[in-house]
Amino acid sequence: MDEWKPNPAVKPHKKRSWYLAWKYKLMNQRALRKLCQTGAVLFLLVTVIVNIKLILDTRRAAYEEEEESAQDYDDEMLNVEVPRHPVSNKKVLDVEVYSSRSKVYVAVDGTTVLEDEAREQGRGIHVIVLNQATGHVMAKRVFDTYSPHEDEAMVLFLNMVARGRILIFTIKDEGSFHLKDTAKNVLKSLGSQVAPFLSWRDMWTFVGKKGGEVYGEKHAKSPALSTWGDPVLLKTEVHLTSVEDAECHWPDTELNRRRKRFCSKVEGYGSVCSCKDPTPIEFNPDPLKDNKVFDVPVAVIAGNRPNYLYRMLRSLLSAQGVNPQMITVFIDGYYEEPMDVVELFGLSGIQHTPISIKNARVSQHYKASLTATFNLFPDAKFAVVLEEDLDISVDFFSFLSQSIHLLEEDESLYCISAWNDQGYEHTAEDPSLLYRVETMPGLGWVLRKSLYKDELEPKWPTPEKLWDWDMWMRMPEQRKGRECIIPDISRSYHFGIVGLNMNGYFHEAYFKKHKFNTVPNVQLKNVESLRKDAYETEIHRLLGEAEVLDHSKNPCEDSFVPDTEGRVYVMFIRMEQEADFTTWTQLAKCLHIWDLDVRGNHKGLWRLFRKKNHFLVVGVPASPYSSKKPSSVTPIYLEPPAKEEGVVAVPAVPAAEQT
Amino acid sequence: MLKINKNVVLALLSLTSLVFLLFQLYYYKFYVSQKNGAVFSKVRGSQSGQDSTRWHVVRKFLGLISSHNIQVYLIDPLILGLVDKDIEQIRSSPDGPSPECKYFCAPREFTTFALLDKTWKHEAGLFRTAEKMGFQWLKIINKDPRLDGMDDLSGIEIPLHYIFKLTSHAIHLVVFYERSGNYLWHGPLRLKQHTDRKFVPFRKLHFGRYPGAYEKPELLPVSIDDLKVQIPKNPSDFLEEMSHSRFLECRYREARTFFQLYPDDASLDAVEFRKKAKSLLHLAALTLNNLGVKFWLSSGTCLGWYRQCNVIPHSKDVDLGVFIRDYKADIIPAFQKAGLPLKHKFGKVEDSLELSFQGEDDVKLETFFLYEEDDHIWNGGTQAKSGKKFKYLFPKFTLCWTEFVELKVHVPCETLQYVEANYGPDWKVPVKTWDWKTSPSNVQYNGVWPVDEWDNVIQIY
């Protein structure tokens, strides 16, 4: 090691010595070295801290952004998911059905779907339809088969129910008195063994599948005429099928998707849910040329009569010139089925929390619906107001399109209505003829926005006043002498039998024989002559050419009017002052037209048709047209019947025809 | 040797931590710029592939829309801003081919279009086609405000916004509704609980933070970047309108509570007064809008809106506020021409101006002019018989749109502060006797007009 020293080592040595020198130097300056080391460590520490801080900062910033966006754009309303009914996952349903004199109930999987123990109500056979796949209630009906014809309605209903549905029957009180063989046979064909032998005051429950198996039946015979059978309780199980089996296989279109949704929820709408050849739900009627009411919103006022609403919307959507986008259905209450009907037709529907009771509830519903209509269509100058129990004439919109400009231009007009209170089969003739009348008929009418916003809405009867909205609108404070335009032949037909102020007798007497226009595209005549002054000229012309009838005859008799066609006749009745309608009311009664209050008059003049002749009635001397009476004619006076009789003759129903 | 290693290790560590620190700083800067949007977009936007993607997405969307016969118009502030610079040229040659993609390729994450609700039928087919074309879409629905003011109506939620996303670009379709008062309204964008919050960066949308109110725009069909679109006829006016479009809904629920506590006056007098006040307000709005004078509901009228969404029947007049900088000498003759003669004029333009016009049957239109100071705003009052001056102080506020008696009008956005300044914390309690000199909680005595000025500053007709 001592002798051999390799040359190349010189350089490193030199370097090393430099390094050592430096190191030595440093060693000498220990303090400086220490300082450098501490500095480096400190620097390290600082960078670590700064790093951590940066990481924290970035994370906080990211978190804040998320928070902020969440706060800015979150809906303040938390939508709490309602847990779905567990039925959908189950394969078997427990069904309990109870039948007795004073109470019936049906429970499906412990949920009561029907309970009726009200006195003197709900007599007859209760029917419930369940969806065979989901177990949901699709229809609930009661047929009072103690009374006549109700069994026919039941047969009709049962025939409409799709095959495969689950049917539940139970009797309350009595259900056999008017249950005819046809109905019994239908029940038998459903699998009931008892139905053919059902008799007076028997109790009966039955659960079966339409066109399939029977899940259970129980029956208790009434031992004697004066007593009822013992209550029966049927407990059974129903096996659910798969959803696919419960549905029809219609082609997959937008329309059929709506149909499918509807048909899986409700029953009793006939061929709309038929698997083969279902009835259309889109109608595409011919558009109207120059349609002036295409942009006028249509408010359909509805309650909980979904079958009525279905019929009504069908006729409305079939009317020429209809614009489905302008239709809104307002449902008074949170009823599901009317909403299903609305959705079936692809229309928009709004539900309204019921306010107040009876007439006031209807009245508040009208107000809300009208206000909402003008809010939703702020451009509209008018709104068409319809009710759920009306058929709409095919030329309804054509009629409005031809006359609506009058409502805009003539300040003396209150409304245009599609309904003629006096237009019965035997008193209306001319689809192209219009009248001016001092009363407001309603039942399909056009409301001017300014009238509603400036006059009616601010003073609308408050909920505590149990007023009929239509009666209120007819009051002189509201009407202020303005008139409505009506057609001779109505463009709407009131088919509702169930309603607040309505029953079968009343409907039969006053609405059934109402004339309803079915002719499309009627060209209205004399539209311009309906303006205030022109109408007077027109009336004077008419009275001028009218033949005076023989006033010695009885105006109630058919022979009062000669057997002609197309002539104009006039008769004069006694009318002492403007409000004296004694003779008119008697005349209306014997002509079998509306006599419950005075309708259809214009300055003491009524216009109708008898035997296809135009028939004018003038009240003398109150009417300004009295001057047309020849001096030789004595106005006819009809004695009102004695008081007691009057009470019997007029049914105890308020005069309003609304819902 | 150990000692050497220790030093080397120290030095190396310092170096790496320095590098790491620099990286962190860079990343932080990068992040901040992303948050602010512009810088980050530019980084991405410089790639030409990105440019044409946007154009392609817009083109596809327009194709989708027109195949369903739906009319939309462009309201994207970024593109309209660019378009506005060349508006003359675009107007003069609406069909000219463009040499370069100048507008629809501009860097951005969204393109915003408007859809008028009443022009389409809500057909579900649109969305199915959109999906077939590769769009992902999101629909934002909420309550219909047009029915909000009504007692207990329910049933419809209406679509307010749609977002169609394709690759990296999204189309924001804002649905505009026509409302009473002849204006267009779009809703706020609020996400329901289960919506995908990451669908698009919602915060960067130009529309939807607040609801907005707009005039019905006049549209101009143009062809830009070889795409046919409709744009507002005057983009700069639209952009200006957009910046002040925030809309406040009336507090219907609170108003209902108020009416439960204090039932509404349904007397004939009240009905008549409301009718007159409404038509007076309509006339005043028409007149001032024609002059281009910005105004808002003030004092009692503002309180009526805020508290009960209606005219207060015992208030006896209609009160408007106008910034003094918006004062025009034509105001008086214009009102006169509209059938509203000047009833009195207090103060002068430089100080405490107040104009009062005579409407139909004793209903007056009070116009207060507000003077802006550094930290507050005030208007003046003058007592005619004594020449005493009063000052009413308000905190500063901005203006929002609202709907009142079927009219689109301004109210202070910070309405609560405004009302509280004027009526104190008990503004919720109706007061029938009101003395304008002592009752307001923000009134200050402000001296007396010099007698020689009286002829000018106290004019009564």
Side-chain angles (χ1 to χ4, degrees):
Chain A
M1 217 186 147
D2 286 341
E3 287 92 4
W4 186 74
K5 279 182 181 170
N7 259 346
V10 177
K11 242 178 175 183
H13 175 80
K14 205 182 173 186
K15 212 177 186 180
R16 192 181 166 84
S17 66
W18 169 81
Y19 175 72
L20 282 176
W22 178 69
K23 200 183 147 195
Y24 177 77
K25 236 181 179 176
L26 277 183
M27 293 261 274
N28 275 347
Q29 300 170 354
R30 237 191 140 81
L32 190 67
R33 206 187 104 241
K34 269 266 179 224
L35 198 76
C36 273
Q37 272 184 356
T38 333
V41 168
L42 269 176
F43 181 74
L44 259 174
L45 269 172
V46 166
T47 51
V48 164
I49 288 167
V50 168
N51 266 316
I52 289 173
K53 193 175 149 31
L54 274 174
I55 287 168
L56 282 177
D57 272 3
T58 356
R59 279 190 59 177
R60 206 190 56 220
Y63 179 71
E64 261 175 10
E65 169 163 294
E66 230 159 69
E67 271 283 277
E68 220 178 309
S69 74
Q71 272 171 11
D72 271 4
Y73 290 96
D74 266 356
D75 200 353
E76 68 276 24
M77 301 253 290
L78 288 180
N79 291 348
V80 184
E81 281 278 294
V82 185
R84 286 192 169 267
H85 204 266
V87 165
S88 48
N89 306 329
K90 261 189 91 170
K91 285 278 164 276
V92 179
L93 286 183
D94 297 317
V95 180
E96 249 177 73
V97 196
Y98 184 77
S99 163
S100 73
R101 175 196 171 183
S102 55
K103 178 181 179 175
V104 286
Y105 77 80
V106 174
V108 176
D109 262 358
T111 311
T112 308
V113 295
L114 166 77
E115 184 160 29
D116 186 348
E117 47 185 335
R119 281 159 156 248
E120 332 222 329
Q121 257 185 39
R123 176 183 58 201
I125 302 180
H126 291 251
V127 186
I128 286 181
V129 183
L130 300 184
N131 186 303
Q132 67 270 42
T134 61
H136 286 136
V137 176
M138 300 181 77
K140 240 195 259 190
R141 298 283 192 282
V142 53
F143 301 97
D144 180 12
T145 43
Y146 170 81
S147 310
H149 304 304
E150 285 275 314
D151 61 335
E152 292 160 22
M154 185 174 81
V155 168
L156 213 65
F157 174 75
L158 291 176
N159 286 339
M160 275 198 291
V161 171
R163 274 178 69 88
R165 299 282 186 238
I166 293 151
L167 290 163
I168 303 174
F169 295 84
T170 177
I171 287 183
K172 184 180 177 189
D173 192 357
E174 213 301 306
S176 71
F177 191 51
H178 271 104
L179 191 67
K180 299 277 158 46
D181 284 347
T182 332
K184 285 180 177 173
N185 285 334
V186 169
L187 294 177
K188 192 182 160 195
S189 72
L190 291 170
S192 167
Q193 301 191 327
V194 179
F197 316 107
L198 263 185
S199 60
W200 177 250
R201 289 184 175 171
D202 284 359
M203 293 299 128
W204 173 63
T205 56
F206 174 72
V207 182
K209 181 177 243 177
K210 189 171 177 185
E213 49 199 305
V214 173
Y215 298 109
E217 182 167 29
K218 263 192 182 174
H219 175 236
K221 216 159 171 44
S222 155
L225 269 186
S226 56
T227 51
W228 284 262
D230 293 329
V232 289
L233 175 62
L234 170 67
K235 287 187 180 182
T236 182
E237 281 187 346
V238 170
H239 292 267
L240 293 176
T241 57
S242 70
V243 177
E244 289 72 39
D245 291 349
E247 282 178 346
C248 298
H249 301 284
W250 297 303
D252 184 35
T253 63
E254 185 65 32
L255 286 184
N256 280 338
R257 238 168 270 164
R258 288 198 323 238
R259 192 193 295 276
K260 201 171 245 177
R261 217 174 304 137
F262 180 77
C263 294
S264 68
K265 282 179 87 177
V266 293
E267 262 291 355
Y269 291 83
S271 52
V272 74
C273 293
S274 137
C275 283
K276 262 192 242 162
D277 193 24
T279 188
I281 51 171
E282 197 177 53
F283 306 96
N284 301 315
D286 295 339
L288 274 186
K289 248 188 238 162
D290 192 22
N291 188 351
K292 299 220 167 57
V293 289
F294 191 75
D295 288 332
V296 175
V298 177
V300 178
I301 316 285
N304 189 20
R305 296 181 290 177
N307 286 73
Y308 282 11
L309 184 63
Y310 175 78
R311 172 171 167 181
M312 188 274 163
L313 292 177
R314 283 189 78 91
S315 77
L316 176 63
L317 292 171
S318 308
Q320 292 180 351
V322 67
N323 180 0
Q325 271 197 278
M326 301 303 283
I327 299 174
T328 316
V329 181
F330 294 92
I331 299 162
D332 190 13
Y334 290 94
Y335 303 115
E336 256 182 72
E337 202 168 322
M339 204 62 181
D340 294 334
V341 171
V342 172
E343 280 165 9
L344 170 71
F345 290 113
L347 302 174
S348 58
I350 293 175
Q351 289 167 318
H352 177 216
T353 314
I355 302 169
S356 193
I357 48 158
K358 288 186 183 163
N359 301 356
R361 171 171 167 181
V362 175
S363 184
Q364 292 311 305
H365 183 50
Y366 260 87
K367 183 187 181 188
S369 307
L370 296 178
T371 304
T373 302
F374 289 120
N375 280 354
L376 289 174
F377 302 96
D379 272 358
K381 285 186 196 150
F382 308 99
V384 175
V385 185
L386 300 172
E387 284 147 42
E388 66 180 344
D389 51 3
L390 296 178
D391 279 330
I392 300 305
S393 164
V394 65
D395 79 328
F396 179 78
F397 292 104
S398 152
F399 156 71
L400 294 181
S401 174
Q402 292 175 65
S403 55
I404 197 143
H405 65 284
L406 293 174
L407 197 55
E408 192 165 1
E409 292 155 16
D410 188 344
E411 289 281 302
S412 71
L413 286 179
Y414 198 46
C415 76
I416 296 176
S417 174
W419 179 259
N420 177 5
D421 284 304
Q422 310 295 22
Y424 291 85
E425 290 286 357
H426 59 292
T427 56
E429 207 55 53
D430 187 349
S432 65
L433 183 63
L434 305 180
Y435 303 134
R436 276 178 85 103
V437 295
E438 288 171 16
T439 49
M440 211 225 55
L443 297 179
W445 54 291
V446 184
L447 169 69
R448 197 195 281 134
K449 180 180 184 177
S450 58
L451 170 69
Y452 181 69
K453 280 281 164 193
D454 298 345
E455 300 181 38
L456 302 179
E457 188 186 32
K459 317 190 268 190
W460 199 273
T462 44
E464 70 276 6
K465 295 194 177 103
L466 300 182
W467 289 351
D468 281 308
W469 70 273
D470 53 330
M471 289 305 189
W472 175 79
M473 266 192 79
R474 288 184 185 118
M475 278 154 56
E477 294 90 322
Q478 274 65 253
R479 195 170 61 82
K480 295 181 180 158
R482 288 169 290 193
E483 296 185 299
C484 288
I485 286 186
I486 59 163
D488 179 54
I489 300 183
S490 300
R491 263 45 176 200
S492 59
Y493 178 76
H494 185 266
F495 63 78
I497 296 176
V498 198
L500 186 55
N501 297 326
M502 187 57 67
N503 58 50
Y505 167 73
F506 190 60
H507 186 265
E508 187 103 10
Y510 289 101
F511 292 102
K512 200 161 181 195
K513 300 226 168 79
H514 230 98
K515 198 153 187 171
F516 175 59
N517 181 53
T518 50
V519 184
N521 288 318
V522 176
Q523 186 65 40
L524 303 178
K525 66 184 183 198
N526 78 350
V527 175
E528 290 312 305
S529 67
L530 284 156
R531 290 172 197 273
K532 196 176 185 219
D533 297 332
Y535 195 66
E536 295 312 310
T537 321
E538 171 77 7
I539 296 292
H540 280 282
R541 188 191 61 74
L542 258 180
L543 287 168
E545 72 177 53
E547 296 166 49
V548 179
L549 289 163
D550 182 354
H551 281 58
S552 63
K553 287 186 181 167
N554 180 355
C556 293
E557 304 260 317
D558 229 21
S559 59
F560 185 69
V561 179
D563 292 323
T564 55
E565 265 187 36
R567 310 281 273 274
V568 182
Y569 295 114
V570 61
M571 76 172 283
F572 299 91
I573 59 168
R574 200 197 286 179
M575 185 173 165
E576 296 299 342
Q577 6 80 29
E578 243 179 89
D580 171 19
F581 298 115
T582 325
T583 304
W584 167 256
T585 307
Q586 293 317 308
L587 184 65
K589 197 160 288 175
C590 73
L591 292 180
H592 300 293
I593 55 176
W594 185 270
D595 60 1
L596 299 182
D597 58 1
V598 179
R599 302 278 176 95
N601 52 314
H602 168 81
K603 298 189 179 177
L605 166 87
W606 286 265
R607 297 176 67 177
L608 36 127
F609 280 84
R610 278 183 86 174
K611 296 186 186 170
K612 304 200 171 181
N613 300 296
H614 203 18
F615 178 69
L616 311 176
V617 181
V618 178
V620 177
S623 168
Y625 310 121
S626 302
S627 57
K628 295 280 176 180
K629 183 184 76 70
S631 51
S632 58
V633 169
T634 317
I636 288 176
Y637 174 69
L638 294 176
E639 190 87 29
K643 272 274 156 153
E644 303 81 26
E645 239 180 285
V647 172
V648 178
V650 180
V653 177
E657 75 276 25
Q658 312 301 345
T659 51
Chain B
M1 275 314 266
L2 264 174
K3 271 183 184 171
I4 295 165
N5 276 348
K6 195 172 151 194
N7 283 320
V8 170
V9 164
L10 259 177
L12 275 172
L13 267 175
S14 304
L15 200 72
T16 42
S17 82
L18 192 73
V19 167
F20 196 57
L21 184 74
L22 283 173
F23 171 74
Q24 281 278 340
L25 274 171
Y26 172 74
Y27 180 75
Y28 191 66
K29 190 181 160 229
F30 184 74
Y31 180 80
V32 166
S33 64
Q34 184 198 23
K35 218 176 133 191
N36 294 338
V39 183
F40 180 56
S41 314
K42 240 171 219 160
V43 173
R44 273 201 341 191
S46 59
Q47 301 155 8
S48 64
Q50 281 290 333
D51 291 357
S52 59
T53 306
R54 290 183 206 108
W55 182 86
H56 276 292
V57 172
V58 171
R59 197 192 59 152
K60 264 198 156 175
F61 174 74
L62 289 173
L64 165 74
I65 286 294
S66 66
S67 71
H68 282 78
N69 278 320
I70 299 168
Q71 300 268 330
V72 296
Y73 58 95
L74 186 73
I75 51 169
D76 196 282
L78 222 126
I79 300 177
L80 285 182
L82 295 171
V83 164
D84 191 48
K85 286 179 197 151
D86 310 329
I87 189 70
E88 289 311 321
Q89 192 197 333
I90 290 170
R91 267 191 203 136
S92 56
S93 61
D95 295 318
S98 42
E100 44 164 353
C101 180
K102 207 169 160 188
Y103 310 102
F104 285 116
C105 296
R108 67 196 186 278
E109 287 181 56
F110 301 98
T111 311
T112 320
F113 286 93
L115 166 68
L116 285 184
D117 166 67
K118 68 169 188 181
T119 59
W120 84 301
K121 294 181 187 171
H122 299 267
E123 283 148 343
L126 174 73
F127 303 103
R128 235 164 294 134
T129 323
E131 278 163 19
K132 273 181 207 148
M133 291 170 82
F135 280 106
Q136 285 174 283
W137 58 276
L138 180 77
K139 171 166 136 181
I140 282 129
I141 57 169
N142 220 323
K143 291 187 300 225
D144 189 339
R146 297 169 299 178
L147 301 177
D148 228 21
M150 311 223 18
D151 291 342
D152 317 302
L153 278 192
S154 74
I156 40 178
E157 290 207 317
I158 50 173
L160 299 179
H161 298 263
Y162 291 102
I163 293 165
F164 293 87
K165 189 169 79 171
L166 187 69
T167 60
S168 61
H169 196 63
I171 306 285
H172 180 197
L173 187 59
V174 184
V175 189
F176 281 79
Y177 289 85
E178 222 166 278
R179 293 187 52 175
S180 304
N182 204 25
Y183 66 100
L184 297 180
W185 172 91
H186 75 75
L189 194 150
R190 298 289 176 270
L191 301 176
K192 301 245 157 152
Q193 221 176 13
H194 302 293
T195 353
D196 176 12
R197 255 138 247 275
K198 296 268 185 289
F199 188 71
V200 286
F202 289 102
R203 274 167 51 82
K204 287 186 215 162
L205 292 172
H206 297 291
F207 289 80
R209 180 172 285 268
Y210 301 114
Y214 291 80
E215 292 300 307
K216 290 180 194 169
E218 262 188 89
L219 297 179
L220 181 73
V222 292
S223 169
I224 47 182
D225 295 341
D226 296 327
L227 293 177
K228 285 191 193 322
V229 286
Q230 304 224 69
I231 58 167
K233 200 165 186 184
N234 198 330
S236 59
D237 286 0
F238 179 84
L239 293 173
E240 163 67 19
E241 191 182 12
M242 183 183 159
S243 61
H244 302 113
S245 67
R246 186 177 164 193
F247 181 88
L248 290 183
E249 204 65 67
C250 199
R251 303 154 70 243
Y252 296 110
R253 203 177 303 163
E254 286 83 352
R256 230 168 285 156
T257 321
F258 173 81
F259 281 127
Q260 272 165 10
L261 277 173
Y262 310 100
D264 199 13
D265 183 355
S267 67
L268 211 60
D269 283 354
V271 169
E272 277 304 302
F273 174 73
R274 280 188 170 147
K275 200 174 144 186
K276 282 177 209 152
K278 177 180 166 185
S279 67
L280 180 60
L281 190 57
H282 275 249
L283 189 60
L286 185 72
T287 313
L288 290 173
N289 288 341
N290 281 343
L291 288 175
V293 174
K294 203 194 275 176
F295 69 94
W296 64 92
L297 302 183
S298 177
S299 310
T301 312
C302 185
L303 177 66
W305 171 77
Y306 191 67
R307 188 171 69 187
Q308 54 207 69
C309 299
N310 206 338
V311 174
I312 301 176
H314 55 262
S315 59
K316 303 298 171 222
D317 51 17
V318 172
D319 304 311
L320 301 182
V322 175
F323 286 121
I324 193 69
R325 61 179 139 88
D326 293 330
Y327 172 80
K328 284 183 182 164
D330 325 352
I331 291 179
I332 298 172
F335 272 119
Q336 226 126 22
K337 221 171 149 190
L340 302 172
L342 189 64
K343 179 110 193 308
H344 59 239
K345 177 186 174 192
F346 293 137
K348 48 189 180 178
V349 177
E350 301 77 40
D351 185 9
S352 303
L353 185 66
E354 181 193 340
L355 300 174
S356 174
F357 299 93
Q358 183 66 58
E360 189 194 340
D361 298 329
D362 263 17
V363 185
K364 277 183 300 176
L365 177 73
E366 302 282 356
T367 317
F368 304 102
F369 288 87
L370 275 87
Y371 297 79
E372 281 178 275
E373 306 292 340
D374 288 339
D375 59 343
H376 68 280
I377 303 184
W378 63 276
N379 72 286
T382 301
Q383 190 180 27
K385 60 172 192 245
S386 63
K388 276 183 194 161
K389 289 166 72 185
F390 299 92
K391 200 173 187 180
Y392 302 86
L393 271 57
F394 293 96
K396 286 205 152 193
F397 57 83
T398 49
L399 290 179
C400 277
W401 290 111
T402 193
E403 182 184 313
F404 186 59
V405 293
E406 289 165 65
L407 200 62
K408 175 189 158 215
V409 281
H410 275 128
V411 286
C413 297
E414 299 79 11
T415 328
L416 180 62
Q417 283 99 297
Y418 190 79
V419 167
E420 272 188 346
N422 213 176
Y423 295 95
D426 291 332
W427 57 272
K428 279 187 182 169
V429 184
V431 178
K432 292 228 173 173
T433 49
W434 183 259
D435 181 0
W436 59 272
K437 299 178 294 298
T438 54
S439 303
S441 54
N442 59 339
V443 67
Q444 276 181 11
Y445 185 62
N446 193 21
V448 183
W449 288 104
V451 180
D452 56 328
E453 276 196 68
W454 281 29
D455 281 351
N456 184 31
V457 299
I458 304 174
Q459 297 179 24
I460 296 172
Y461 300 91

